[in-house]
Amino acid sequence: SQKIEQNSEALNIQEGKTATLTCNYTNYSPAYLQWYRQDPGRGPVFLLLIRENEKEKRKERLKVTFDTTLKQSLFHITASQPADSATYLCPQKPINDMRFGAGTRLTVKP
Amino acid sequence: NAGVTQTPKFRILKIGQSMTLQCTQDMNHNYMYWYRQDPGMGLKLIYYSVGAGITDKGEVPNGYNVSRSTTEDFPLRLELAAPSQTSVYFCASKAPGQGVTEAFFGQGTRLTVV
């Protein structure tokens, strides 16, 4: 079946390091992948979208890549800060019946 | 812009009571969604709508009903509240565009059924 999945539930890193989160897809060739951030008790907030013909997209300390050969999108946060601690989501289905998995919970330790 | 507005923010219901969670958006978005999120878990899609008059079930529709009589409003109805419906409910909207448009979420409704 068509799936978009994140490959880890939790990631702990030290402040100042680069956090890298992964979203993989199988039996599916998405034209776009989106990334959201969710803080506890709050609704998700859109961060970045990358199209399949874009290798990379940047926004401040955030960078997203789209590798159609490896069938994955990588989400990087450079010079991470404790304020970056949150759950990051890559929607399993970004169109019509938009669905989300559990995401990856990032903790940045001072 | 107000974006997506949910009311109420908090509610305590007794088992068997009914209530309607309100959701309204002022962005003229066609797509609207209701999700629930249990503690420590991901968002689960309850119902969604691709336009006024059109609704469809998501992953966990049992115990809920929706209607979409206008583009702006997408209320979620709980008919017979059960403890299993204790959760945080999020409403979202987005413009059509096959995945290129971002979703906007409301601030959530925290519901406790006792």
Side-chain angles (χ1 to χ4, degrees):
Chain A
S1 61
Q2 298 178 344
K3 286 195 290 188
I4 298 178
E5 296 176 306
Q6 292 182 253
N7 70 342
S8 61
E9 291 186 355
L11 177 65
N12 298 315
I13 63 167
Q14 208 65 37
E15 182 176 9
K17 301 292 186 185
T18 295
T20 298
L21 289 68
T22 306
C23 182
N24 298 295
Y25 55 94
T26 54
N27 299 321
Y28 181 39
S29 295
Y32 318 91
L33 283 169
Q34 298 183 354
W35 286 89
Y36 289 77
R37 168 182 172 143
Q38 184 178 25
D39 291 289
R42 303 180 72 91
V45 175
F46 173 80
L47 295 175
L48 284 169
L49 175 147
I50 186 165
R51 294 171 169 76
E52 63 177 339
N53 61 353
E54 296 175 319
K55 286 281 192 332
E56 179 180 298
K57 184 79 75 75
R58 290 177 184 263
K59 179 182 176 181
E60 298 173 351
R61 294 184 295 110
L62 309 181
K63 184 178 83 170
V64 175
T65 62
F66 198 155
D67 190 325
T68 54
T69 301
L70 295 178
K71 294 186 181 298
Q72 70 179 194
S73 172
L74 298 181
F75 178 84
H76 306 273
I77 305 175
T78 58
S80 61
Q81 305 165 0
D84 295 325
S85 298
T87 296
Y88 292 85
L89 304 164
C90 171
Q92 294 173 330
K93 289 188 67 175
I95 61 174
N96 293 342
D97 53 329
M98 188 174 62
R99 303 186 184 201
F100 294 85
T104 299
R105 187 174 65 254
L106 173 67
T107 303
V108 181
K109 298 181 179 178
Chain B
N1 286 340
V4 179
T5 302
Q6 291 183 236
T7 55
K9 289 187 173 57
F10 303 93
R11 183 73 185 268
I12 298 175
L13 274 184
K14 292 186 178 178
I15 294 172
Q17 286 185 323
S18 61
M19 77 164 294
T20 299
L21 282 67
Q22 301 291 346
C23 176
T24 188
Q25 51 93 7
D26 62 358
M27 296 172 282
N28 202 33
H29 285 169
N30 293 68
Y31 289 69
M32 293 189 75
Y33 306 86
W34 273 107
Y35 298 90
R36 60 175 287 172
Q37 187 168 37
D38 298 332
M41 306 296 285
L43 294 161
K44 292 293 185 186
L45 180 64
I46 305 172
Y47 272 96
Y48 70 103
S49 169
V50 300
I54 306 169
T55 62
D56 212 340
K57 296 178 181 178
E59 303 168 272
V60 290
N62 291 345
Y64 307 94
N65 280 299
V66 293
S67 60
R68 184 93 184 271
S69 56
T70 67
T71 298
E72 295 78 19
D73 300 307
F74 191 41
L76 178 72
R77 179 87 177 157
L78 283 71
E79 290 295 349
L80 290 170
S84 60
Q85 293 177 305
T86 294
S87 192
V88 180
Y89 291 83
F90 290 103
C91 178
S93 74
K94 74 194 242 350
Q98 296 302 307
V100 296
T101 57
E102 64 184 274
F104 294 82
F105 284 78
Q107 74 274 40
T109 295
R110 187 175 298 274
L111 176 67
T112 302
V113 182
V114 296

